[in-house]
Amino acid sequence: MTGGGLLVAGTTSDAGKSVVTAGICRWLVRQGVKVAPFKAQNMSLNSFVTREGAEIGRAQAMQAQACRVEPTALMNPVLLKPGGEQSSQVVLMGKPVGELSARRYHGGRQERLLGTVLDCLAELRGTYDAVICEGAGSPAEINLRRTDIVNMGIARNAGLPVLVVGDIDRGGVFASFFGTVALLSREDQELVAGFLVNKFRGDVSLLEPGLDMLHDLTGRRTYGVLPFRHGLGIDEEDGLRVSLRGTVRESAVSSPVGEDVLRVAVCAVPLMSNFTDVDALAAEPGVVVRFVDRPEELADADLVVIPGTRGTVRALEWLRERGLADALVRRAAEQRPILGVCGGFQVLGEHIEDEVESRRGQVGGLGVLPVRVRFAREKTLTRPTGEALGEPVEGYEIHHGVAEVVGGDPFLDGCRVGQTWGTHWHGSLESDGFRRAFLREVAAAAGRRFVPAPDTSFAALREEQLDRLGDLIEQHADTDALWRLIESGAPQGLPFIPPGAPA
């Protein structure tokens, strides 16, 4: 028997598809429904390693957590990791299979992946009561429809009803809803069941006349109006560009337990990957996290983090061009705390030999840590566990660079020299005891009277966040109607809205 299903599409990128998908998943699992997430094709530099050693988008790992199930490669069979404006690494079923330009990918390779994608979806639907699928971008990308395997392509082949999410905070949501439907073919339109408004501020009664008119124009109902909520910064779906200045990680900070706050500056390197590593720091009362791109912004930082990147050599060049490299070297000499994670760890080393990512050969690093890095063609994908600062630590590794550590003190398979720390482990700061021990060391080195909160649980905070998403769906969507969609598919007899897709 095949389980029910739903495709959550959006009028644009960042309309709220990931959040709505997670919210529906958490609502369903609280009703006793065995549910799984699915995204056929994801473009993201934020990824995660499953227990079987497969790389998938972090958003799908978060959605699996919303479902209270273990994430697997089936939930995100195709992951595209941008390496520049024109090309991406293609990760298929959790393993990299090569670099492709956008033209080559959409010129034939993408279509050939449809069978794999449909097989994964069918396996999930055979195992779970419901599968909530997330689309990508907009389903009305008419230039890409022929090769689409993530929006209407998957909906048509799997017979999935489609719910279109629109971000009303951006404005133009009615035009976006109508235009999205009107640019689809008749066959695609038959699966678009209706709409869901996201990020609404104000009195819903003022919106209702517009929703009634939208129903009259399209024959499709609105399944809910979700209010704007601060602090729902779940693991993000990024593309090539992520605006980091002023994002959720710079939101209001809880009062510190000690007398001082702790200031963390994160270098916003190009092709930044897994910047979600610093979310656990931002969750600590009294820790202020901001993203920076100028050397003067490091002056008052108690800790500087160099995050992961899909372009280590490019990140090195960027640090040097901006004057950040010199500032980091001075900072290390002054015994002021620096943490490098993955690519950020690699740039702190003596040199990098790269014939894989940048193909630039040997490039000098910042020379702060006694580490030599050689890029291997095979990617390391592991879930290590260990101990540091007397505390248990878990993490995950995603990298081509192989580090040879030739000195310093051991630190999470990397090393430490003075107050400069480097590791390939992502996610280590989510281990509560280790994070608190690390922050105590940073505070002592920085001369701050900062005290980590004794009871901050990052896992519990994440669960609370997912429950808030489930509450949004339960309280502000027509859940009975949503369940009918998931169980029975799109309503019959939905009208065609001209002009439809171009021939």
Side-chain angles (χ1 to χ4, degrees), residues 413-440:
D413 293 343
C415 68
R416 170 191 182 180
V417 173
Q419 291 301 322
T420 301
W421 318 62
T423 177
H424 274 131
W425 290 25
H426 294 289
S428 63
L429 293 167
E430 295 179 20
S431 297
D432 297 325
F434 165 71
R435 181 180 66 254
R436 286 191 276 270
F438 177 69
L439 289 176
R440 281 193 289 269

PDB file of all heavy atoms in Angstrom, residues 413-440:
ATOM      1  N   ASP A 413      40.523  15.536  16.454  1.00  0.00           N
ATOM      2  CA  ASP A 413      41.217  15.093  15.230  1.00  0.00           C
ATOM      3  C   ASP A 413      41.913  16.224  14.497  1.00  0.00           C
ATOM      4  O   ASP A 413      42.459  16.014  13.405  1.00  0.00           O
ATOM      5  CB  ASP A 413      40.253  14.370  14.272  1.00  0.00           C
ATOM      6  CG  ASP A 413      39.759  13.049  14.853  1.00  0.00           C
ATOM      7  OD1 ASP A 413      40.390  12.560  15.804  1.00  0.00           O
ATOM      8  OD2 ASP A 413      38.736  12.537  14.377  1.00  0.00           O
ATOM      9  N   GLY A 414      41.898  17.410  15.068  1.00  0.00           N
ATOM     10  CA  GLY A 414      42.662  18.540  14.544  1.00  0.00           C
ATOM     11  C   GLY A 414      43.733  18.878  15.555  1.00  0.00           C
ATOM     12  O   GLY A 414      44.403  17.990  16.107  1.00  0.00           O
ATOM     13  N   CYS A 415      43.919  20.171  15.838  1.00  0.00           N
ATOM     14  CA  CYS A 415      44.919  20.546  16.829  1.00  0.00           C
ATOM     15  C   CYS A 415      44.628  21.918  17.401  1.00  0.00           C
ATOM     16  O   CYS A 415      43.785  22.675  16.893  1.00  0.00           O
ATOM     17  CB  CYS A 415      46.322  20.507  16.234  1.00  0.00           C
ATOM     18  SG  CYS A 415      46.646  21.765  14.989  1.00  0.00           S
ATOM     19  N   ARG A 416      45.370  22.215  18.458  1.00  0.00           N
ATOM     20  CA  ARG A 416      45.265  23.506  19.137  1.00  0.00           C
ATOM     21  C   ARG A 416      46.664  24.016  19.417  1.00  0.00           C
ATOM     22  O   ARG A 416      47.527  23.264  19.882  1.00  0.00           O
ATOM     23  CB  ARG A 416      44.498  23.342  20.443  1.00  0.00           C
ATOM     24  CG  ARG A 416      44.533  24.564  21.339  1.00  0.00           C
ATOM     25  CD  ARG A 416      43.996  24.265  22.720  1.00  0.00           C
ATOM     26  NE  ARG A 416      43.992  25.459  23.557  1.00  0.00           N
ATOM     27  CZ  ARG A 416      43.582  25.486  24.819  1.00  0.00           C
ATOM     28  NH1 ARG A 416      43.132  24.378  25.382  1.00  0.00           N
ATOM     29  NH2 ARG A 416      43.604  26.604  25.504  1.00  0.00           N
ATOM     30  N   VAL A 417      46.893  25.304  19.129  1.00  0.00           N
ATOM     31  CA  VAL A 417      48.133  25.976  19.506  1.00  0.00           C
ATOM     32  C   VAL A 417      47.743  27.248  20.232  1.00  0.00           C
ATOM     33  O   VAL A 417      47.132  28.145  19.635  1.00  0.00           O
ATOM     34  CB  VAL A 417      49.005  26.300  18.276  1.00  0.00           C
ATOM     35  CG1 VAL A 417      50.207  27.157  18.686  1.00  0.00           C
ATOM     36  CG2 VAL A 417      49.484  25.026  17.591  1.00  0.00           C
ATOM     37  N   GLY A 418      48.075  27.321  21.500  1.00  0.00           N
ATOM     38  CA  GLY A 418      47.670  28.489  22.281  1.00  0.00           C
ATOM     39  C   GLY A 418      46.157  28.608  22.323  1.00  0.00           C
ATOM     40  O   GLY A 418      45.453  27.695  22.767  1.00  0.00           O
ATOM     41  N   GLN A 419      45.637  29.722  21.825  1.00  0.00           N
ATOM     42  CA  GLN A 419      44.190  29.934  21.803  1.00  0.00           C
ATOM     43  C   GLN A 419      43.611  29.824  20.389  1.00  0.00           C
ATOM     44  O   GLN A 419      42.534  30.336  20.119  1.00  0.00           O
ATOM     45  CB  GLN A 419      43.859  31.312  22.410  1.00  0.00           C
ATOM     46  CG  GLN A 419      44.116  31.391  23.902  1.00  0.00           C
ATOM     47  CD  GLN A 419      43.300  30.375  24.686  1.00  0.00           C
ATOM     48  OE1 GLN A 419      42.145  30.111  24.374  1.00  0.00           O
ATOM     49  NE2 GLN A 419      43.908  29.786  25.721  1.00  0.00           N
ATOM     50  N   THR A 420      44.353  29.162  19.501  1.00  0.00           N
ATOM     51  CA  THR A 420      43.848  28.896  18.149  1.00  0.00           C
ATOM     52  C   THR A 420      43.515  27.412  18.047  1.00  0.00           C
ATOM     53  O   THR A 420      44.369  26.555  18.306  1.00  0.00           O
ATOM     54  CB  THR A 420      44.877  29.285  17.082  1.00  0.00           C
ATOM     55  OG1 THR A 420      45.174  30.678  17.207  1.00  0.00           O
ATOM     56  CG2 THR A 420      44.327  29.021  15.691  1.00  0.00           C
ATOM     57  N   TRP A 421      42.269  27.133  17.687  1.00  0.00           N
ATOM     58  CA  TRP A 421      41.749  25.772  17.650  1.00  0.00           C
ATOM     59  C   TRP A 421      41.310  25.444  16.221  1.00  0.00           C
ATOM     60  O   TRP A 421      40.718  26.286  15.541  1.00  0.00           O
ATOM     61  CB  TRP A 421      40.530  25.634  18.554  1.00  0.00           C
ATOM     62  CG  TRP A 421      40.602  26.317  19.887  1.00  0.00           C
ATOM     63  CD1 TRP A 421      40.731  27.651  20.124  1.00  0.00           C
ATOM     64  CD2 TRP A 421      40.550  25.687  21.171  1.00  0.00           C
ATOM     65  NE1 TRP A 421      40.754  27.901  21.472  1.00  0.00           N
ATOM     66  CE2 TRP A 421      40.639  26.717  22.150  1.00  0.00           C
ATOM     67  CE3 TRP A 421      40.407  24.370  21.596  1.00  0.00           C
ATOM     68  CZ2 TRP A 421      40.607  26.463  23.507  1.00  0.00           C
ATOM     69  CZ3 TRP A 421      40.369  24.116  22.951  1.00  0.00           C
ATOM     70  CH2 TRP A 421      40.477  25.148  23.902  1.00  0.00           C
ATOM     71  N   GLY A 422      41.559  24.209  15.783  1.00  0.00           N
ATOM     72  CA  GLY A 422      41.121  23.819  14.444  1.00  0.00           C
ATOM     73  C   GLY A 422      40.637  22.385  14.408  1.00  0.00           C
ATOM     74  O   GLY A 422      41.253  21.497  15.012  1.00  0.00           O
ATOM     75  N   THR A 423      39.536  22.139  13.707  1.00  0.00           N
ATOM     76  CA  THR A 423      38.973  20.791  13.598  1.00  0.00           C
ATOM     77  C   THR A 423      38.162  20.670  12.319  1.00  0.00           C
ATOM     78  O   THR A 423      37.617  21.661  11.817  1.00  0.00           O
ATOM     79  CB  THR A 423      38.071  20.477  14.804  1.00  0.00           C
ATOM     80  OG1 THR A 423      37.480  19.183  14.620  1.00  0.00           O
ATOM     81  CG2 THR A 423      36.949  21.495  14.953  1.00  0.00           C
ATOM     82  N   HIS A 424      38.074  19.463  11.802  1.00  0.00           N
ATOM     83  CA  HIS A 424      37.174  19.185  10.679  1.00  0.00           C
ATOM     84  C   HIS A 424      35.752  18.891  11.139  1.00  0.00           C
ATOM     85  O   HIS A 424      34.858  18.727  10.314  1.00  0.00           O
ATOM     86  CB  HIS A 424      37.689  17.991   9.864  1.00  0.00           C
ATOM     87  CG  HIS A 424      38.688  18.361   8.810  1.00  0.00           C
ATOM     88  ND1 HIS A 424      39.886  17.712   8.633  1.00  0.00           N
ATOM     89  CD2 HIS A 424      38.662  19.327   7.855  1.00  0.00           C
ATOM     90  CE1 HIS A 424      40.546  18.250   7.620  1.00  0.00           C
ATOM     91  NE2 HIS A 424      39.827  19.229   7.137  1.00  0.00           N
ATOM     92  N   TRP A 425      35.532  18.766  12.439  1.00  0.00           N
ATOM     93  CA  TRP A 425      34.232  18.345  12.954  1.00  0.00           C
ATOM     94  C   TRP A 425      33.217  19.480  12.892  1.00  0.00           C
ATOM     95  O   TRP A 425      33.369  20.501  13.567  1.00  0.00           O
ATOM     96  CB  TRP A 425      34.352  17.903  14.400  1.00  0.00           C
ATOM     97  CG  TRP A 425      35.088  16.624  14.611  1.00  0.00           C
ATOM     98  CD1 TRP A 425      36.036  16.075  13.802  1.00  0.00           C
ATOM     99  CD2 TRP A 425      34.958  15.749  15.733  1.00  0.00           C
ATOM    100  NE1 TRP A 425      36.504  14.911  14.336  1.00  0.00           N
ATOM    101  CE2 TRP A 425      35.870  14.683  15.526  1.00  0.00           C
ATOM    102  CE3 TRP A 425      34.187  15.762  16.882  1.00  0.00           C
ATOM    103  CZ2 TRP A 425      36.008  13.640  16.427  1.00  0.00           C
ATOM    104  CZ3 TRP A 425      34.314  14.720  17.787  1.00  0.00           C
ATOM    105  CH2 TRP A 425      35.216  13.660  17.558  1.00  0.00           C
ATOM    106  N   HIS A 426      32.161  19.293  12.116  1.00  0.00           N
ATOM    107  CA  HIS A 426      30.987  20.160  12.210  1.00  0.00           C
ATOM    108  C   HIS A 426      30.113  19.673  13.370  1.00  0.00           C
ATOM    109  O   HIS A 426      30.129  18.496  13.723  1.00  0.00           O
ATOM    110  CB  HIS A 426      30.150  20.092  10.920  1.00  0.00           C
ATOM    111  CG  HIS A 426      30.831  20.650   9.727  1.00  0.00           C
ATOM    112  ND1 HIS A 426      31.059  21.989   9.544  1.00  0.00           N
ATOM    113  CD2 HIS A 426      31.311  20.028   8.607  1.00  0.00           C
ATOM    114  CE1 HIS A 426      31.663  22.190   8.382  1.00  0.00           C
ATOM    115  NE2 HIS A 426      31.833  21.014   7.794  1.00  0.00           N
ATOM    116  N   GLY A 427      29.313  20.588  13.912  1.00  0.00           N
ATOM    117  CA  GLY A 427      28.304  20.194  14.888  1.00  0.00           C
ATOM    118  C   GLY A 427      28.821  19.908  16.277  1.00  0.00           C
ATOM    119  O   GLY A 427      28.033  19.543  17.156  1.00  0.00           O
ATOM    120  N   SER A 428      30.126  20.072  16.525  1.00  0.00           N
ATOM    121  CA  SER A 428      30.666  19.733  17.843  1.00  0.00           C
ATOM    122  C   SER A 428      30.086  20.621  18.941  1.00  0.00           C
ATOM    123  O   SER A 428      29.914  20.176  20.084  1.00  0.00           O
ATOM    124  CB  SER A 428      32.194  19.857  17.839  1.00  0.00           C
ATOM    125  OG  SER A 428      32.595  21.198  17.597  1.00  0.00           O
ATOM    126  N   LEU A 429      29.766  21.864  18.600  1.00  0.00           N
ATOM    127  CA  LEU A 429      29.266  22.801  19.611  1.00  0.00           C
ATOM    128  C   LEU A 429      27.839  22.481  20.054  1.00  0.00           C
ATOM    129  O   LEU A 429      27.332  23.085  21.005  1.00  0.00           O
ATOM    130  CB  LEU A 429      29.347  24.232  19.080  1.00  0.00           C
ATOM    131  CG  LEU A 429      30.783  24.739  18.867  1.00  0.00           C
ATOM    132  CD1 LEU A 429      30.790  26.023  18.045  1.00  0.00           C
ATOM    133  CD2 LEU A 429      31.497  24.946  20.200  1.00  0.00           C
ATOM    134  N   GLU A 430      27.179  21.538  19.379  1.00  0.00           N
ATOM    135  CA  GLU A 430      25.859  21.102  19.822  1.00  0.00           C
ATOM    136  C   GLU A 430      25.946  20.153  21.020  1.00  0.00           C
ATOM    137  O   GLU A 430      24.927  19.863  21.646  1.00  0.00           O
ATOM    138  CB  GLU A 430      25.108  20.436  18.664  1.00  0.00           C
ATOM    139  CG  GLU A 430      24.805  21.410  17.528  1.00  0.00           C
ATOM    140  CD  GLU A 430      24.084  20.765  16.363  1.00  0.00           C
ATOM    141  OE1 GLU A 430      23.489  19.688  16.565  1.00  0.00           O
ATOM    142  OE2 GLU A 430      24.118  21.331  15.252  1.00  0.00           O
ATOM    143  N   SER A 431      27.152  19.680  21.345  1.00  0.00           N
ATOM    144  CA  SER A 431      27.374  18.868  22.541  1.00  0.00           C
ATOM    145  C   SER A 431      27.463  19.825  23.726  1.00  0.00           C
ATOM    146  O   SER A 431      28.441  20.580  23.865  1.00  0.00           O
ATOM    147  CB  SER A 431      28.661  18.046  22.408  1.00  0.00           C
ATOM    148  OG  SER A 431      28.562  17.121  21.334  1.00  0.00           O
ATOM    149  N   ASP A 432      26.457  19.812  24.589  1.00  0.00           N
ATOM    150  CA  ASP A 432      26.285  20.870  25.585  1.00  0.00           C
ATOM    151  C   ASP A 432      27.462  21.004  26.538  1.00  0.00           C
ATOM    152  O   ASP A 432      27.945  22.111  26.803  1.00  0.00           O
ATOM    153  CB  ASP A 432      24.996  20.635  26.377  1.00  0.00           C
ATOM    154  CG  ASP A 432      23.748  20.700  25.503  1.00  0.00           C
ATOM    155  OD1 ASP A 432      23.733  21.505  24.559  1.00  0.00           O
ATOM    156  OD2 ASP A 432      22.799  19.941  25.779  1.00  0.00           O
ATOM    157  N   GLY A 433      27.927  19.895  27.099  1.00  0.00           N
ATOM    158  CA  GLY A 433      29.022  19.958  28.060  1.00  0.00           C
ATOM    159  C   GLY A 433      30.289  20.505  27.434  1.00  0.00           C
ATOM    160  O   GLY A 433      30.990  21.340  28.030  1.00  0.00           O
ATOM    161  N   PHE A 434      30.610  20.038  26.222  1.00  0.00           N
ATOM    162  CA  PHE A 434      31.799  20.525  25.526  1.00  0.00           C
ATOM    163  C   PHE A 434      31.668  22.007  25.214  1.00  0.00           C
ATOM    164  O   PHE A 434      32.618  22.782  25.382  1.00  0.00           O
ATOM    165  CB  PHE A 434      32.020  19.721  24.250  1.00  0.00           C
ATOM    166  CG  PHE A 434      32.998  20.383  23.309  1.00  0.00           C
ATOM    167  CD1 PHE A 434      34.348  20.435  23.617  1.00  0.00           C
ATOM    168  CD2 PHE A 434      32.555  20.987  22.134  1.00  0.00           C
ATOM    169  CE1 PHE A 434      35.253  21.072  22.770  1.00  0.00           C
ATOM    170  CE2 PHE A 434      33.447  21.616  21.282  1.00  0.00           C
ATOM    171  CZ  PHE A 434      34.799  21.657  21.601  1.00  0.00           C
ATOM    172  N   ARG A 435      30.494  22.418  24.732  1.00  0.00           N
ATOM    173  CA  ARG A 435      30.309  23.842  24.393  1.00  0.00           C
ATOM    174  C   ARG A 435      30.546  24.726  25.615  1.00  0.00           C
ATOM    175  O   ARG A 435      31.212  25.759  25.530  1.00  0.00           O
ATOM    176  CB  ARG A 435      28.900  24.063  23.836  1.00  0.00           C
ATOM    177  CG  ARG A 435      28.628  25.507  23.432  1.00  0.00           C
ATOM    178  CD  ARG A 435      27.227  25.683  22.890  1.00  0.00           C
ATOM    179  NE  ARG A 435      26.186  25.460  23.899  1.00  0.00           N
ATOM    180  CZ  ARG A 435      25.407  24.387  23.949  1.00  0.00           C
ATOM    181  NH1 ARG A 435      25.531  23.432  23.048  1.00  0.00           N
ATOM    182  NH2 ARG A 435      24.487  24.261  24.893  1.00  0.00           N
ATOM    183  N   ARG A 436      30.008  24.312  26.753  1.00  0.00           N
ATOM    184  CA  ARG A 436      30.193  25.112  27.964  1.00  0.00           C
ATOM    185  C   ARG A 436      31.674  25.167  28.369  1.00  0.00           C
ATOM    186  O   ARG A 436      32.190  26.230  28.739  1.00  0.00           O
ATOM    187  CB  ARG A 436      29.349  24.535  29.106  1.00  0.00           C
ATOM    188  CG  ARG A 436      27.867  24.821  28.943  1.00  0.00           C
ATOM    189  CD  ARG A 436      27.097  24.486  30.212  1.00  0.00           C
ATOM    190  NE  ARG A 436      26.749  23.082  30.301  1.00  0.00           N
ATOM    191  CZ  ARG A 436      25.616  22.557  29.816  1.00  0.00           C
ATOM    192  NH1 ARG A 436      24.738  23.326  29.201  1.00  0.00           N
ATOM    193  NH2 ARG A 436      25.362  21.271  29.956  1.00  0.00           N
ATOM    194  N   ALA A 437      32.368  24.034  28.288  1.00  0.00           N
ATOM    195  CA  ALA A 437      33.794  24.005  28.630  1.00  0.00           C
ATOM    196  C   ALA A 437      34.602  24.890  27.678  1.00  0.00           C
ATOM    197  O   ALA A 437      35.508  25.624  28.103  1.00  0.00           O
ATOM    198  CB  ALA A 437      34.318  22.565  28.599  1.00  0.00           C
ATOM    199  N   PHE A 438      34.276  24.827  26.398  1.00  0.00           N
ATOM    200  CA  PHE A 438      34.974  25.642  25.398  1.00  0.00           C
ATOM    201  C   PHE A 438      34.740  27.133  25.665  1.00  0.00           C
ATOM    202  O   PHE A 438      35.683  27.944  25.632  1.00  0.00           O
ATOM    203  CB  PHE A 438      34.497  25.253  24.001  1.00  0.00           C
ATOM    204  CG  PHE A 438      35.094  26.089  22.901  1.00  0.00           C
ATOM    205  CD1 PHE A 438      36.436  25.994  22.591  1.00  0.00           C
ATOM    206  CD2 PHE A 438      34.301  26.975  22.172  1.00  0.00           C
ATOM    207  CE1 PHE A 438      36.991  26.769  21.579  1.00  0.00           C
ATOM    208  CE2 PHE A 438      34.841  27.744  21.162  1.00  0.00           C
ATOM    209  CZ  PHE A 438      36.196  27.646  20.863  1.00  0.00           C
ATOM    210  N   LEU A 439      33.496  27.508  25.946  1.00  0.00           N
ATOM    211  CA  LEU A 439      33.190  28.921  26.202  1.00  0.00           C
ATOM    212  C   LEU A 439      33.864  29.413  27.478  1.00  0.00           C
ATOM    213  O   LEU A 439      34.260  30.588  27.559  1.00  0.00           O
ATOM    214  CB  LEU A 439      31.681  29.124  26.280  1.00  0.00           C
ATOM    215  CG  LEU A 439      30.929  29.001  24.955  1.00  0.00           C
ATOM    216  CD1 LEU A 439      29.422  29.135  25.175  1.00  0.00           C
ATOM    217  CD2 LEU A 439      31.418  30.044  23.948  1.00  0.00           C
ATOM    218  N   ARG A 440      34.015  28.551  28.468  1.00  0.00           N
ATOM    219  CA  ARG A 440      34.747  28.956  29.676  1.00  0.00           C
ATOM    220  C   ARG A 440      36.204  29.259  29.345  1.00  0.00           C
ATOM    221  O   ARG A 440      36.780  30.231  29.853  1.00  0.00           O
ATOM    222  CB  ARG A 440      34.653  27.860  30.748  1.00  0.00           C
ATOM    223  CG  ARG A 440      33.323  27.853  31.501  1.00  0.00           C
ATOM    224  CD  ARG A 440      33.396  26.968  32.739  1.00  0.00           C
ATOM    225  NE  ARG A 440      33.462  25.556  32.400  1.00  0.00           N
ATOM    226  CZ  ARG A 440      32.404  24.760  32.260  1.00  0.00           C
ATOM    227  NH1 ARG A 440      31.177  25.251  32.424  1.00  0.00           N
ATOM    228  NH2 ARG A 440      32.546  23.495  31.962  1.00  0.00           N
TER     229      ARG A 440
END
